[in-house]
Amino acid sequence: MELNISYEEVYDLLHAACTSISPDALFLMKQAAERETNSGAKVFLETMIRNVGLAGETDKPVCQSPGLPTVWIRYGEAVELSPLLSYLPRAVQEATKNGFIRPSIVHPLTRFNPGDSSGKGIPNIELRQDPSLDYVEIVMSAKGCGAELGNVAKILTPATLGKNYKGLKSLVLDTVIKAGGFPCPPSAIGIGIGGQMDIASKLSREAVSTRDWRDVNPDPLLADLERELLEDINSLKIGPAGVGGDTTCLAVKIAYAATHTAICPVTINFHCWVARRFGIRIYPDGRKEKLFQVE
């Protein structure tokens, strides 16, 4: 399959992601603002939504934090990815040069900053081959790193996982309580379960960054767990920016992999309400479909 996407298209998608948030996230924010019963929280939500509108109107970044860009490329049949793989870092660097991304990428030890959002592993690119796909899907997400400070990774055992997953649920709620307002709520939360720690961590980031925040998990067990955790998290009343209110979390997204009988790795990954991401599917006939859209 020939991948019919130009550098200009990639840059335009990234530019749009920098100056707005994905439509699914904005839809949930507006829903939360409409039903909010806490007056202070309602003002915060309405201000966040207004901020998104102003960013688009003035062609400015929706948030000063640039996040760290990760790209998932999923494909079925063989496809030539070399042009796209060269476009992605170039687009990130150009967006930085043009002021849509703050240059915050540094060497992890020396803290040297090249000033253009370049560096080893930037953007992080994850390739996924799935023979069932008849398209190429590209999802790019720049998840804010302030929210990273609340993340938790833990190895549970079958005993600490508990009956009815009590240990897992307690770990999630305890993590949300300790994080408070620091992850810029209302957040979305990705939970990776299984594999070893590296796999659980990747799953948590992928689940919260690539799934539509309005979707329902196709696995009934995980769908029920996502709904239960979302309700329990919002019952904590931490609220937007931690000021209290009905909406602490917009979505919970869970992904899993098989693991060893002795362990149950879990990673909890916060995503702030600023969902800077774009997704597009490209079909063999050249047709293109944007993801996360609201009809």
Side-chain angles (χ1 to χ4, degrees):
M1 174 180 170
E2 181 180 352
L3 189 60
N4 181 26
I5 188 168
S6 68
Y7 170 75
E8 289 73 22
E9 287 177 283
V10 171
Y11 179 79
D12 287 346
L13 287 166
L14 176 58
H15 173 203
C18 290
T19 56
S20 187
I21 64 176
S22 60
D24 58 328
L26 184 57
F27 176 84
L28 292 175
M29 288 286 289
K30 289 178 178 178
Q31 275 196 333
E34 288 176 2
R35 64 172 178 256
E36 181 59 61
T37 60
N38 179 301
S39 59
K42 191 175 185 70
V43 169
F44 265 89
L45 287 167
E46 291 173 344
T47 302
M48 292 167 176
I49 293 165
R50 178 60 177 151
N51 176 79
V52 176
L54 287 171
E57 291 170 14
T58 60
D59 198 29
K60 300 293 184 183
V62 72
C63 177
Q64 54 82 27
S65 172
L68 193 146
T70 294
V71 185
W72 288 266
I73 303 173
R74 298 168 176 153
Y75 56 97
E77 62 182 77
V79 60
E80 177 53 61
L81 294 174
S82 297
L84 175 62
L85 297 180
S86 69
Y87 296 161
L88 291 166
R90 179 180 159 199
V92 170
Q93 291 165 36
E94 183 178 353
T96 304
K97 179 181 177 181
N98 292 338
F100 297 110
I101 298 175
R102 188 182 66 193
S104 295
I105 300 299
V106 302
H107 187 285
L109 297 179
T110 67
R111 315 309 288 181
F112 170 73
N113 188 333
D116 62 357
S117 299
S118 66
K120 186 175 182 180
I122 302 297
N124 174 43
I125 296 175
E126 302 284 343
L127 302 179
R128 302 280 192 273
Q129 185 175 25
D130 181 347
S132 70
L133 301 182
D134 65 346
Y135 51 78
V136 175
E137 181 178 276
I138 306 163
V139 177
M140 184 171 190
S141 164
K143 186 167 83 70
C145 289
E148 291 285 289
L149 298 174
N151 293 350
V152 165
K154 189 174 181 64
I155 304 290
L156 299 180
T157 64
T160 55
L161 178 61
K163 184 178 180 180
N164 196 31
Y165 322 117
K166 181 179 178 180
L168 169 63
K169 296 172 186 177
S170 295
L171 176 63
V172 173
L173 294 178
D174 184 60
T175 299
V176 173
I177 291 168
K178 288 179 179 177
F182 286 103
C184 294
S187 58
I189 295 176
I191 303 173
I193 304 172
Q196 291 185 313
M197 186 51 65
D198 61 320
I199 297 171
S201 295
K202 280 181 176 283
L203 288 171
S204 70
R205 174 76 154 94
E206 186 170 5
V208 77
S209 297
T210 68
R211 282 177 55 188
D212 190 304
W213 286 3
R214 302 162 299 163
D215 73 8
V216 176
N217 199 308
D219 183 319
L221 171 63
L222 299 185
D224 287 344
L225 191 55
E226 288 176 352
R227 281 192 293 268
E228 181 180 348
L229 285 171
L230 181 61
E231 291 176 4
D232 289 347
I233 290 167
N234 284 327
S235 72
L236 298 172
K237 300 292 185 180
I238 293 170
V243 301
D246 303 318
T247 307
T248 301
C249 187
L250 297 170
V252 174
K253 301 300 172 188
I254 302 174
Y256 87 98
T259 190
H260 188 276
T261 186
I263 60 172
C264 181
V266 177
T267 299
I268 301 163
N269 203 321
F270 288 94
H271 196 308
C272 64
W273 66 271
V274 182
R276 283 163 302 196
R277 57 183 182 161
F278 70 75
I280 189 169
R281 287 177 181 168
I282 304 172
Y283 292 87
D285 62 4
R287 181 168 54 93
K288 294 170 184 170
E289 174 188 353
K290 290 185 179 181
L291 304 181
F292 315 122
Q293 299 303 300
V294 177
E295 295 181 359

